Amino acid sequence: MNVVVGVTGGIAAYKAVGVIRSLVLAGHDVHVVATDAALRFVGRPTLEAISRNPVHTDLYEGVAQVRHVAIGQAADLIIVAPATANTIAKIAFGLADDLLGNTILASTAPLVLAPAMHTEMWQNPATTHNIAVLRERGVVIVGPASGQLTGSDSGPGRMVEPEAIVEAALAARGPRDLVGKRIVVTAGGTREAIDPVRYIGNRSSGRQGVAIAAAAATRGADVTLIAANLEVAPPASVVLTRVSSARELADATFAAAATAHVVIMAAAVADYRPEAVAEGKIKKETQGDRLTIELVRNPDILQTLSENRRDGQVIVGFAAETEEDPGALLELGRRKLARKGSDFLVINRVGWDAGFGTGENSVVTLNRAGDIVMEASGPKASVADRILDLLS
Ligand code: C5P
């Protein structure tokens, strides 16, 4: 795992060496981003020797590699140890006046802070407020412990011991239960060309599929994301194939599925496409008041995948339905499951204001027998994890 260790300027910086060492010994690739103040407490050669990587401090070094964001984008986990009151305040405000601030802002990885400061600073209302803001944002705060501080004083403010920081940070990172699994995820909505400038499409943004792909990669899977017209950026941690129409999506999915352990069909695939695509733009001057477009059925990718699944391969389908009655929605899902033959079917209600394009989702998942095996509501990232829990 790629772990960034931010070291800031506190006496406890010497203990950051223990954090780095323990991560390296556990097999992680550790990149240290130190503030200038940190290097007054612990030397760069020590940090480089222990981390086995160059130590970065300067925002204006490595500009050609866009280092100010690259380090954060590549990180699977960021630990700041020690985190001074000053750095905590800067992170709470989203400041980016040094490399560590930029790295943290550019990252979506879990962030773990190990505060270290004198008791008065820890208990100052400014610090208390900043810590509360960060906790609310999902940042994990480890410690501080209470005990002997640098001077003759003692009280809360001591940095937690390196082993405990590493343990808390790895727990915050979540499970790595999909290492070695090849997972194909389709996401987005297909577009069926009418002429060179027009298409028949749907309102799928791709958010749920992208969240599943990102979560699976975070949990260690090798993920191929087959992306149809996404409205959101795909995660950097997946192999990406971009497609547009249902038939392109079918070709890419069948190819990727040949070696996959799991295929998750989260894409909204057009059931029909125009029988003929006009070579030039259709003009109302020649069409008059009415235009008829004849549609033909697209291949059902999910059904074909299920019929041809490899031994042990798990196929997951989605059903986005406008049915409002929960009982009828389930019935619809059960019939779809029987028709498509997938191992799981994730059912969600969609409408003008639900499902598509929003950040939240509410799903019911059926197994092959048609039993409810999981229900989840909330941010699409947490729904993604619940789906993966089931597969894991
Ligand atoms: O039949 P319906 O479109 O409601 O089924 C939805 C599920 O089937 C989704 O998992 C979708 O990705 C998949 N599907 C497919 N090929 C199609 C239509 C839908 O694989 N032509």
Side-chain angles (χ1 to χ4, degrees):
M1 173 157 66
N2 179 324
V3 186
V4 169
V5 177
V7 184
T8 71
I11 306 285
Y14 76 93
K15 288 210 259 178
V17 175
V19 173
I20 298 162
R21 178 131 184 94
S22 143
L23 288 164
V24 170
L25 290 180
H28 300 294
D29 186 20
V30 180
H31 298 270
V32 175
V33 177
T35 61
D36 288 330
L39 295 184
R40 290 172 175 255
F41 293 92
V42 57
R44 183 191 289 269
T46 306
L47 296 171
E48 294 199 338
I50 300 295
S51 70
R52 302 177 188 172
N53 274 315
V55 168
H56 303 293
T57 42
D58 190 345
L59 198 49
Y60 298 99
E61 254 172 29
V63 175
Q65 297 99 320
V66 209
R67 192 172 290 152
H68 71 291
V69 291
I71 299 172
Q73 286 170 338
D76 296 313
L77 173 67
I78 300 183
I79 304 171
V80 182
T84 58
N86 178 53
T87 294
I88 287 169
K90 282 168 50 174
I91 300 171
F93 276 92
L95 298 190
D97 62 348
D98 60 9
L99 187 61
L100 182 59
N102 279 270
T103 298
I104 289 171
L105 272 189
S107 171
T108 54
L111 176 61
V112 178
L113 307 183
M117 64 198 75
H118 285 277
T119 303
E120 294 80 358
M121 297 171 93
W122 174 247
Q123 291 177 341
N124 186 290
T127 308
T128 311
H129 173 78
N130 292 334
I131 290 287
V133 166
L134 290 169
R135 280 212 168 102
E136 199 170 294
R137 228 178 263 161
V139 175
V140 175
I141 312 291
V142 191
S146 197
Q148 181 74 52
L149 300 172
T150 308
S152 55
D153 51 344
S154 77
R158 252 178 89 87
M159 190 170 89
V160 167
E161 291 310 309
E163 291 301 331
I165 295 171
V166 170
E167 195 179 306
L170 294 179
R173 181 60 180 60
R176 299 275 293 167
D177 52 351
L178 298 175
V179 171
K181 298 292 177 217
R182 289 185 295 278
I183 300 189
V184 176
V185 183
T186 67
T190 58
R191 293 178 180 176
E192 306 299 317
I194 297 170
D195 67 17
V197 293
R198 303 183 180 98
Y199 59 82
I200 297 174
N202 61 69
R203 290 178 46 220
S204 173
S205 65
R207 279 188 177 80
Q208 185 63 76
V210 165
I212 295 170
T218 299
R219 290 166 72 154
D222 295 325
V223 181
T224 300
L225 175 64
I226 300 175
N229 313 298
L230 300 181
E231 276 176 27
V232 288
S237 47
V238 304
V239 174
L240 182 70
T241 305
R242 289 195 191 271
V243 297
S244 187
S245 68
R247 285 193 293 177
E248 285 170 18
L249 190 129
D251 290 345
T253 307
F254 294 146
T259 54
H261 297 108
V262 180
V263 185
I264 303 176
M265 285 292 302
V269 185
D271 291 324
Y272 297 92
R273 67 176 183 276
E275 185 170 30
V277 180
E279 274 197 18
K281 188 176 168 190
I282 297 172
K283 308 291 285 177
K284 49 190 169 301
E285 289 79 4
T286 49
Q287 289 298 327
D289 287 343
R290 270 176 190 275
L291 169 65
T292 303
I293 300 172
E294 196 81 38
L295 302 177
V296 293
R297 277 292 286 272
N298 270 328
D300 193 309
I301 306 165
L302 181 59
Q303 196 175 332
T304 309
L305 284 169
S306 301
E307 284 165 3
N308 299 295
R309 65 158 78 62
R310 304 163 59 212
D311 265 358
Q313 189 175 49
V314 179
I315 312 281
V316 183
F318 273 69
E321 298 291 346
T322 51
E323 175 60 60
E324 290 192 24
D325 175 66
L329 182 63
L330 269 182
E331 253 337 286
L332 234 150
R334 291 197 173 103
R335 284 204 301 277
K336 182 163 299 192
L337 189 66
R339 220 172 37 245
K340 305 250 185 184
S342 60
D343 298 288
F344 294 100
L345 190 75
V346 183
I347 308 168
N348 67 312
R349 211 185 72 71
V350 291
W352 296 112
D353 54 358
F356 286 149
T358 65
E360 305 231 327
N361 207 358
S362 180
V363 305
V364 178
T365 303
L366 302 179
N367 65 8
R368 223 163 161 182
D371 305 322
I372 296 176
V373 286
M374 185 273 274
E375 290 182 73
S377 290
K380 285 180 173 172
S382 67
V383 170
D385 267 320
R386 295 292 307 284
I387 293 168
L388 294 173
D389 288 344
L390 207 60
L391 301 175
S392 178

PDB file of all heavy atoms in Angstrom, residues 339-371:
ATOM      1  N   ARG A 339     -35.183 -13.919 -14.977  1.00  0.00           N
ATOM      2  CA  ARG A 339     -34.961 -13.752 -16.418  1.00  0.00           C
ATOM      3  C   ARG A 339     -33.469 -13.654 -16.735  1.00  0.00           C
ATOM      4  O   ARG A 339     -32.973 -14.258 -17.667  1.00  0.00           O
ATOM      5  CB  ARG A 339     -35.667 -12.464 -16.845  1.00  0.00           C
ATOM      6  CG  ARG A 339     -36.352 -12.557 -18.170  1.00  0.00           C
ATOM      7  CD  ARG A 339     -37.204 -11.366 -18.524  1.00  0.00           C
ATOM      8  NE  ARG A 339     -36.737 -10.069 -18.150  1.00  0.00           N
ATOM      9  CZ  ARG A 339     -37.334  -9.275 -17.269  1.00  0.00           C
ATOM     10  NH1 ARG A 339     -38.441  -9.681 -16.668  1.00  0.00           N
ATOM     11  NH2 ARG A 339     -36.864  -8.077 -17.005  1.00  0.00           N
ATOM     12  N   LYS A 340     -32.752 -12.873 -15.913  1.00  0.00           N
ATOM     13  CA  LYS A 340     -31.347 -12.559 -16.234  1.00  0.00           C
ATOM     14  C   LYS A 340     -30.386 -13.617 -15.715  1.00  0.00           C
ATOM     15  O   LYS A 340     -29.285 -13.759 -16.244  1.00  0.00           O
ATOM     16  CB  LYS A 340     -30.959 -11.208 -15.629  1.00  0.00           C
ATOM     17  CG  LYS A 340     -31.896 -10.077 -16.053  1.00  0.00           C
ATOM     18  CD  LYS A 340     -31.196  -9.133 -16.969  1.00  0.00           C
ATOM     19  CE  LYS A 340     -32.082  -7.947 -17.296  1.00  0.00           C
ATOM     20  NZ  LYS A 340     -31.462  -7.052 -18.257  1.00  0.00           N
ATOM     21  N   GLY A 341     -30.764 -14.305 -14.648  1.00  0.00           N
ATOM     22  CA  GLY A 341     -29.911 -15.391 -14.142  1.00  0.00           C
ATOM     23  C   GLY A 341     -28.650 -14.944 -13.428  1.00  0.00           C
ATOM     24  O   GLY A 341     -27.699 -15.721 -13.297  1.00  0.00           O
ATOM     25  N   SER A 342     -28.608 -13.710 -12.931  1.00  0.00           N
ATOM     26  CA  SER A 342     -27.398 -13.263 -12.216  1.00  0.00           C
ATOM     27  C   SER A 342     -27.399 -13.840 -10.800  1.00  0.00           C
ATOM     28  O   SER A 342     -28.408 -14.352 -10.324  1.00  0.00           O
ATOM     29  CB  SER A 342     -27.315 -11.738 -12.189  1.00  0.00           C
ATOM     30  OG  SER A 342     -28.425 -11.183 -11.535  1.00  0.00           O
ATOM     31  N   ASP A 343     -26.257 -13.736 -10.105  1.00  0.00           N
ATOM     32  CA  ASP A 343     -26.161 -14.267  -8.739  1.00  0.00           C
ATOM     33  C   ASP A 343     -26.792 -13.320  -7.734  1.00  0.00           C
ATOM     34  O   ASP A 343     -27.305 -13.732  -6.710  1.00  0.00           O
ATOM     35  CB  ASP A 343     -24.696 -14.498  -8.378  1.00  0.00           C
ATOM     36  CG  ASP A 343     -24.081 -15.526  -9.296  1.00  0.00           C
ATOM     37  OD1 ASP A 343     -24.417 -16.710  -9.147  1.00  0.00           O
ATOM     38  OD2 ASP A 343     -23.317 -15.142 -10.197  1.00  0.00           O
ATOM     39  N   PHE A 344     -26.674 -12.031  -8.016  1.00  0.00           N
ATOM     40  CA  PHE A 344     -27.286 -11.008  -7.164  1.00  0.00           C
ATOM     41  C   PHE A 344     -27.966  -9.973  -8.052  1.00  0.00           C
ATOM     42  O   PHE A 344     -27.544  -9.757  -9.194  1.00  0.00           O
ATOM     43  CB  PHE A 344     -26.233 -10.290  -6.312  1.00  0.00           C
ATOM     44  CG  PHE A 344     -25.565 -11.176  -5.298  1.00  0.00           C
ATOM     45  CD1 PHE A 344     -24.310 -11.720  -5.543  1.00  0.00           C
ATOM     46  CD2 PHE A 344     -26.188 -11.466  -4.083  1.00  0.00           C
ATOM     47  CE1 PHE A 344     -23.689 -12.532  -4.622  1.00  0.00           C
ATOM     48  CE2 PHE A 344     -25.572 -12.284  -3.148  1.00  0.00           C
ATOM     49  CZ  PHE A 344     -24.318 -12.816  -3.417  1.00  0.00           C
ATOM     50  N   LEU A 345     -28.997  -9.340  -7.501  1.00  0.00           N
ATOM     51  CA  LEU A 345     -29.612  -8.210  -8.198  1.00  0.00           C
ATOM     52  C   LEU A 345     -29.786  -7.084  -7.184  1.00  0.00           C
ATOM     53  O   LEU A 345     -30.384  -7.271  -6.124  1.00  0.00           O
ATOM     54  CB  LEU A 345     -30.977  -8.600  -8.784  1.00  0.00           C
ATOM     55  CG  LEU A 345     -31.560  -7.547  -9.724  1.00  0.00           C
ATOM     56  CD1 LEU A 345     -30.849  -7.538 -11.079  1.00  0.00           C
ATOM     57  CD2 LEU A 345     -33.060  -7.755  -9.938  1.00  0.00           C
ATOM     58  N   VAL A 346     -29.203  -5.940  -7.508  1.00  0.00           N
ATOM     59  CA  VAL A 346     -29.285  -4.760  -6.637  1.00  0.00           C
ATOM     60  C   VAL A 346     -30.403  -3.868  -7.188  1.00  0.00           C
ATOM     61  O   VAL A 346     -30.302  -3.366  -8.307  1.00  0.00           O
ATOM     62  CB  VAL A 346     -27.943  -3.986  -6.645  1.00  0.00           C
ATOM     63  CG1 VAL A 346     -28.015  -2.801  -5.680  1.00  0.00           C
ATOM     64  CG2 VAL A 346     -26.775  -4.900  -6.305  1.00  0.00           C
ATOM     65  N   ILE A 347     -31.455  -3.740  -6.385  1.00  0.00           N
ATOM     66  CA  ILE A 347     -32.631  -3.004  -6.873  1.00  0.00           C
ATOM     67  C   ILE A 347     -32.653  -1.613  -6.256  1.00  0.00           C
ATOM     68  O   ILE A 347     -32.498  -1.466  -5.046  1.00  0.00           O
ATOM     69  CB  ILE A 347     -33.932  -3.730  -6.460  1.00  0.00           C
ATOM     70  CG1 ILE A 347     -33.877  -5.203  -6.882  1.00  0.00           C
ATOM     71  CG2 ILE A 347     -35.154  -3.052  -7.049  1.00  0.00           C
ATOM     72  CD1 ILE A 347     -34.993  -6.029  -6.259  1.00  0.00           C
ATOM     73  N   ASN A 348     -32.822  -0.607  -7.074  1.00  0.00           N
ATOM     74  CA  ASN A 348     -33.044   0.731  -6.508  1.00  0.00           C
ATOM     75  C   ASN A 348     -34.160   1.442  -7.265  1.00  0.00           C
ATOM     76  O   ASN A 348     -34.396   1.175  -8.439  1.00  0.00           O
ATOM     77  CB  ASN A 348     -31.763   1.561  -6.469  1.00  0.00           C
ATOM     78  CG  ASN A 348     -31.261   1.917  -7.843  1.00  0.00           C
ATOM     79  OD1 ASN A 348     -31.165   1.061  -8.702  1.00  0.00           O
ATOM     80  ND2 ASN A 348     -30.942   3.169  -8.041  1.00  0.00           N
ATOM     81  N   ARG A 349     -34.859   2.308  -6.519  1.00  0.00           N
ATOM     82  CA  ARG A 349     -35.940   3.054  -7.149  1.00  0.00           C
ATOM     83  C   ARG A 349     -35.345   4.317  -7.765  1.00  0.00           C
ATOM     84  O   ARG A 349     -34.512   4.985  -7.167  1.00  0.00           O
ATOM     85  CB  ARG A 349     -37.012   3.427  -6.123  1.00  0.00           C
ATOM     86  CG  ARG A 349     -38.410   3.503  -6.729  1.00  0.00           C
ATOM     87  CD  ARG A 349     -39.419   3.988  -5.740  1.00  0.00           C
ATOM     88  NE  ARG A 349     -39.271   5.402  -5.444  1.00  0.00           N
ATOM     89  CZ  ARG A 349     -39.565   6.390  -6.282  1.00  0.00           C
ATOM     90  NH1 ARG A 349     -40.041   6.132  -7.487  1.00  0.00           N
ATOM     91  NH2 ARG A 349     -39.377   7.648  -5.928  1.00  0.00           N
ATOM     92  N   VAL A 350     -35.748   4.583  -8.981  1.00  0.00           N
ATOM     93  CA  VAL A 350     -35.299   5.823  -9.618  1.00  0.00           C
ATOM     94  C   VAL A 350     -36.533   6.616 -10.040  1.00  0.00           C
ATOM     95  O   VAL A 350     -37.629   6.070 -10.159  1.00  0.00           O
ATOM     96  CB  VAL A 350     -34.421   5.549 -10.874  1.00  0.00           C
ATOM     97  CG1 VAL A 350     -33.090   4.961 -10.482  1.00  0.00           C
ATOM     98  CG2 VAL A 350     -35.149   4.657 -11.862  1.00  0.00           C
ATOM     99  N   GLY A 351     -36.355   7.881 -10.218  1.00  0.00           N
ATOM    100  CA  GLY A 351     -37.456   8.733 -10.661  1.00  0.00           C
ATOM    101  C   GLY A 351     -36.897  10.076 -11.020  1.00  0.00           C
ATOM    102  O   GLY A 351     -35.684  10.248 -11.146  1.00  0.00           O
ATOM    103  N   TRP A 352     -37.769  11.054 -11.148  1.00  0.00           N
ATOM    104  CA  TRP A 352     -37.292  12.388 -11.506  1.00  0.00           C
ATOM    105  C   TRP A 352     -36.347  12.930 -10.448  1.00  0.00           C
ATOM    106  O   TRP A 352     -35.446  13.677 -10.731  1.00  0.00           O
ATOM    107  CB  TRP A 352     -38.483  13.341 -11.693  1.00  0.00           C
ATOM    108  CG  TRP A 352     -39.362  12.926 -12.833  1.00  0.00           C
ATOM    109  CD1 TRP A 352     -40.636  12.452 -12.759  1.00  0.00           C
ATOM    110  CD2 TRP A 352     -39.025  12.944 -14.224  1.00  0.00           C
ATOM    111  NE1 TRP A 352     -41.102  12.157 -14.011  1.00  0.00           N
ATOM    112  CE2 TRP A 352     -40.145  12.452 -14.936  1.00  0.00           C
ATOM    113  CE3 TRP A 352     -37.893  13.311 -14.941  1.00  0.00           C
ATOM    114  CZ2 TRP A 352     -40.148  12.336 -16.323  1.00  0.00           C
ATOM    115  CZ3 TRP A 352     -37.909  13.195 -16.326  1.00  0.00           C
ATOM    116  CH2 TRP A 352     -39.023  12.711 -16.994  1.00  0.00           C
ATOM    117  N   ASP A 353     -36.592  12.522  -9.176  1.00  0.00           N
ATOM    118  CA  ASP A 353     -35.793  13.105  -8.090  1.00  0.00           C
ATOM    119  C   ASP A 353     -35.010  12.052  -7.305  1.00  0.00           C
ATOM    120  O   ASP A 353     -34.424  12.357  -6.291  1.00  0.00           O
ATOM    121  CB  ASP A 353     -36.720  13.871  -7.135  1.00  0.00           C
ATOM    122  CG  ASP A 353     -37.853  12.986  -6.634  1.00  0.00           C
ATOM    123  OD1 ASP A 353     -37.915  11.812  -7.063  1.00  0.00           O
ATOM    124  OD2 ASP A 353     -38.664  13.466  -5.830  1.00  0.00           O
ATOM    125  N   ALA A 354     -35.000  10.811  -7.738  1.00  0.00           N
ATOM    126  CA  ALA A 354     -34.335   9.771  -6.929  1.00  0.00           C
ATOM    127  C   ALA A 354     -33.348   8.977  -7.776  1.00  0.00           C
ATOM    128  O   ALA A 354     -33.556   8.776  -8.971  1.00  0.00           O
ATOM    129  CB  ALA A 354     -35.373   8.812  -6.347  1.00  0.00           C
ATOM    130  N   GLY A 355     -32.306   8.509  -7.127  1.00  0.00           N
ATOM    131  CA  GLY A 355     -31.373   7.571  -7.774  1.00  0.00           C
ATOM    132  C   GLY A 355     -30.376   8.242  -8.695  1.00  0.00           C
ATOM    133  O   GLY A 355     -29.263   8.554  -8.282  1.00  0.00           O
ATOM    134  N   PHE A 356     -30.761   8.493  -9.933  1.00  0.00           N
ATOM    135  CA  PHE A 356     -29.830   9.009 -10.943  1.00  0.00           C
ATOM    136  C   PHE A 356     -29.272  10.370 -10.568  1.00  0.00           C
ATOM    137  O   PHE A 356     -30.019  11.286 -10.207  1.00  0.00           O
ATOM    138  CB  PHE A 356     -30.524   9.135 -12.291  1.00  0.00           C
ATOM    139  CG  PHE A 356     -30.751   7.802 -12.975  1.00  0.00           C
ATOM    140  CD1 PHE A 356     -31.840   7.618 -13.808  1.00  0.00           C
ATOM    141  CD2 PHE A 356     -29.871   6.748 -12.785  1.00  0.00           C
ATOM    142  CE1 PHE A 356     -32.043   6.415 -14.447  1.00  0.00           C
ATOM    143  CE2 PHE A 356     -30.062   5.535 -13.423  1.00  0.00           C
ATOM    144  CZ  PHE A 356     -31.154   5.368 -14.253  1.00  0.00           C
ATOM    145  N   GLY A 357     -27.966  10.500 -10.681  1.00  0.00           N
ATOM    146  CA  GLY A 357     -27.322  11.810 -10.563  1.00  0.00           C
ATOM    147  C   GLY A 357     -27.145  12.293  -9.142  1.00  0.00           C
ATOM    148  O   GLY A 357     -26.452  13.264  -8.909  1.00  0.00           O
ATOM    149  N   THR A 358     -27.733  11.633  -8.174  1.00  0.00           N
ATOM    150  CA  THR A 358     -27.614  12.103  -6.790  1.00  0.00           C
ATOM    151  C   THR A 358     -26.430  11.411  -6.117  1.00  0.00           C
ATOM    152  O   THR A 358     -25.898  10.415  -6.613  1.00  0.00           O
ATOM    153  CB  THR A 358     -28.892  11.792  -5.978  1.00  0.00           C
ATOM    154  OG1 THR A 358     -29.010  10.376  -5.873  1.00  0.00           O
ATOM    155  CG2 THR A 358     -30.129  12.351  -6.652  1.00  0.00           C
ATOM    156  N   GLY A 359     -26.043  11.912  -4.951  1.00  0.00           N
ATOM    157  CA  GLY A 359     -24.907  11.336  -4.239  1.00  0.00           C
ATOM    158  C   GLY A 359     -25.315  10.182  -3.344  1.00  0.00           C
ATOM    159  O   GLY A 359     -24.473   9.487  -2.789  1.00  0.00           O
ATOM    160  N   GLU A 360     -26.627   9.983  -3.183  1.00  0.00           N
ATOM    161  CA  GLU A 360     -27.102   8.938  -2.260  1.00  0.00           C
ATOM    162  C   GLU A 360     -27.902   7.888  -3.019  1.00  0.00           C
ATOM    163  O   GLU A 360     -28.411   8.145  -4.104  1.00  0.00           O
ATOM    164  CB  GLU A 360     -28.003   9.569  -1.197  1.00  0.00           C
ATOM    165  CG  GLU A 360     -27.325  10.705  -0.468  1.00  0.00           C
ATOM    166  CD  GLU A 360     -27.390  10.567   1.041  1.00  0.00           C
ATOM    167  OE1 GLU A 360     -28.396  10.025   1.519  1.00  0.00           O
ATOM    168  OE2 GLU A 360     -26.423  10.968   1.705  1.00  0.00           O
ATOM    169  N   ASN A 361     -28.010   6.735  -2.418  1.00  0.00           N
ATOM    170  CA  ASN A 361     -28.784   5.671  -3.043  1.00  0.00           C
ATOM    171  C   ASN A 361     -29.436   4.835  -1.947  1.00  0.00           C
ATOM    172  O   ASN A 361     -29.004   4.848  -0.790  1.00  0.00           O
ATOM    173  CB  ASN A 361     -27.869   4.790  -3.896  1.00  0.00           C
ATOM    174  CG  ASN A 361     -28.602   4.135  -5.037  1.00  0.00           C
ATOM    175  OD1 ASN A 361     -29.820   4.298  -5.178  1.00  0.00           O
ATOM    176  ND2 ASN A 361     -27.870   3.401  -5.853  1.00  0.00           N
ATOM    177  N   SER A 362     -30.462   4.134  -2.320  1.00  0.00           N
ATOM    178  CA  SER A 362     -31.155   3.271  -1.382  1.00  0.00           C
ATOM    179  C   SER A 362     -31.456   1.975  -2.132  1.00  0.00           C
ATOM    180  O   SER A 362     -32.143   2.005  -3.158  1.00  0.00           O
ATOM    181  CB  SER A 362     -32.442   3.984  -0.962  1.00  0.00           C
ATOM    182  OG  SER A 362     -33.131   3.190  -0.058  1.00  0.00           O
ATOM    183  N   VAL A 363     -30.874   0.874  -1.678  1.00  0.00           N
ATOM    184  CA  VAL A 363     -30.964  -0.367  -2.461  1.00  0.00           C
ATOM    185  C   VAL A 363     -31.419  -1.563  -1.625  1.00  0.00           C
ATOM    186  O   VAL A 363     -31.252  -1.590  -0.407  1.00  0.00           O
ATOM    187  CB  VAL A 363     -29.601  -0.731  -3.114  1.00  0.00           C
ATOM    188  CG1 VAL A 363     -29.056   0.404  -3.952  1.00  0.00           C
ATOM    189  CG2 VAL A 363     -28.573  -1.163  -2.072  1.00  0.00           C
ATOM    190  N   VAL A 364     -32.008  -2.512  -2.319  1.00  0.00           N
ATOM    191  CA  VAL A 364     -32.321  -3.821  -1.744  1.00  0.00           C
ATOM    192  C   VAL A 364     -31.640  -4.840  -2.652  1.00  0.00           C
ATOM    193  O   VAL A 364     -31.746  -4.743  -3.880  1.00  0.00           O
ATOM    194  CB  VAL A 364     -33.836  -4.084  -1.741  1.00  0.00           C
ATOM    195  CG1 VAL A 364     -34.148  -5.463  -1.184  1.00  0.00           C
ATOM    196  CG2 VAL A 364     -34.567  -3.017  -0.966  1.00  0.00           C
ATOM    197  N   THR A 365     -30.935  -5.793  -2.066  1.00  0.00           N
ATOM    198  CA  THR A 365     -30.239  -6.779  -2.902  1.00  0.00           C
ATOM    199  C   THR A 365     -30.826  -8.167  -2.691  1.00  0.00           C
ATOM    200  O   THR A 365     -31.031  -8.606  -1.557  1.00  0.00           O
ATOM    201  CB  THR A 365     -28.730  -6.776  -2.573  1.00  0.00           C
ATOM    202  OG1 THR A 365     -28.250  -5.461  -2.758  1.00  0.00           O
ATOM    203  CG2 THR A 365     -27.961  -7.716  -3.478  1.00  0.00           C
ATOM    204  N   LEU A 366     -31.090  -8.838  -3.807  1.00  0.00           N
ATOM    205  CA  LEU A 366     -31.620 -10.210  -3.765  1.00  0.00           C
ATOM    206  C   LEU A 366     -30.529 -11.181  -4.182  1.00  0.00           C
ATOM    207  O   LEU A 366     -29.682 -10.853  -5.021  1.00  0.00           O
ATOM    208  CB  LEU A 366     -32.775 -10.347  -4.758  1.00  0.00           C
ATOM    209  CG  LEU A 366     -33.979  -9.406  -4.601  1.00  0.00           C
ATOM    210  CD1 LEU A 366     -34.999  -9.699  -5.703  1.00  0.00           C
ATOM    211  CD2 LEU A 366     -34.612  -9.565  -3.228  1.00  0.00           C
ATOM    212  N   ASN A 367     -30.561 -12.376  -3.596  1.00  0.00           N
ATOM    213  CA  ASN A 367     -29.671 -13.430  -4.095  1.00  0.00           C
ATOM    214  C   ASN A 367     -30.412 -14.232  -5.167  1.00  0.00           C
ATOM    215  O   ASN A 367     -31.552 -13.913  -5.515  1.00  0.00           O
ATOM    216  CB  ASN A 367     -29.158 -14.318  -2.952  1.00  0.00           C
ATOM    217  CG  ASN A 367     -30.289 -15.102  -2.286  1.00  0.00           C
ATOM    218  OD1 ASN A 367     -31.426 -15.098  -2.759  1.00  0.00           O
ATOM    219  ND2 ASN A 367     -29.958 -15.769  -1.191  1.00  0.00           N
ATOM    220  N   ARG A 368     -29.762 -15.261  -5.644  1.00  0.00           N
ATOM    221  CA  ARG A 368     -30.316 -16.013  -6.770  1.00  0.00           C
ATOM    222  C   ARG A 368     -31.681 -16.639  -6.441  1.00  0.00           C
ATOM    223  O   ARG A 368     -32.517 -16.831  -7.312  1.00  0.00           O
ATOM    224  CB  ARG A 368     -29.337 -17.098  -7.165  1.00  0.00           C
ATOM    225  CG  ARG A 368     -29.210 -17.195  -8.628  1.00  0.00           C
ATOM    226  CD  ARG A 368     -27.970 -17.961  -8.948  1.00  0.00           C
ATOM    227  NE  ARG A 368     -28.066 -18.432 -10.311  1.00  0.00           N
ATOM    228  CZ  ARG A 368     -27.156 -19.173 -10.882  1.00  0.00           C
ATOM    229  NH1 ARG A 368     -26.087 -19.534 -10.216  1.00  0.00           N
ATOM    230  NH2 ARG A 368     -27.307 -19.555 -12.124  1.00  0.00           N
ATOM    231  N   ALA A 369     -31.853 -16.959  -5.160  1.00  0.00           N
ATOM    232  CA  ALA A 369     -33.116 -17.574  -4.742  1.00  0.00           C
ATOM    233  C   ALA A 369     -34.222 -16.520  -4.598  1.00  0.00           C
ATOM    234  O   ALA A 369     -35.371 -16.861  -4.354  1.00  0.00           O
ATOM    235  CB  ALA A 369     -32.904 -18.299  -3.423  1.00  0.00           C
ATOM    236  N   GLY A 370     -33.845 -15.244  -4.724  1.00  0.00           N
ATOM    237  CA  GLY A 370     -34.847 -14.186  -4.598  1.00  0.00           C
ATOM    238  C   GLY A 370     -35.015 -13.681  -3.177  1.00  0.00           C
ATOM    239  O   GLY A 370     -35.912 -12.873  -2.894  1.00  0.00           O
ATOM    240  N   ASP A 371     -34.139 -14.127  -2.267  1.00  0.00           N
ATOM    241  CA  ASP A 371     -34.212 -13.650  -0.872  1.00  0.00           C
ATOM    242  C   ASP A 371     -33.484 -12.318  -0.741  1.00  0.00           C
ATOM    243  O   ASP A 371     -32.462 -12.105  -1.405  1.00  0.00           O
ATOM    244  CB  ASP A 371     -33.526 -14.648   0.082  1.00  0.00           C
ATOM    245  CG  ASP A 371     -34.100 -16.038  -0.046  1.00  0.00           C
ATOM    246  OD1 ASP A 371     -35.333 -16.140  -0.230  1.00  0.00           O
ATOM    247  OD2 ASP A 371     -33.319 -17.022  -0.003  1.00  0.00           O
TER     248      ASP A 371
END
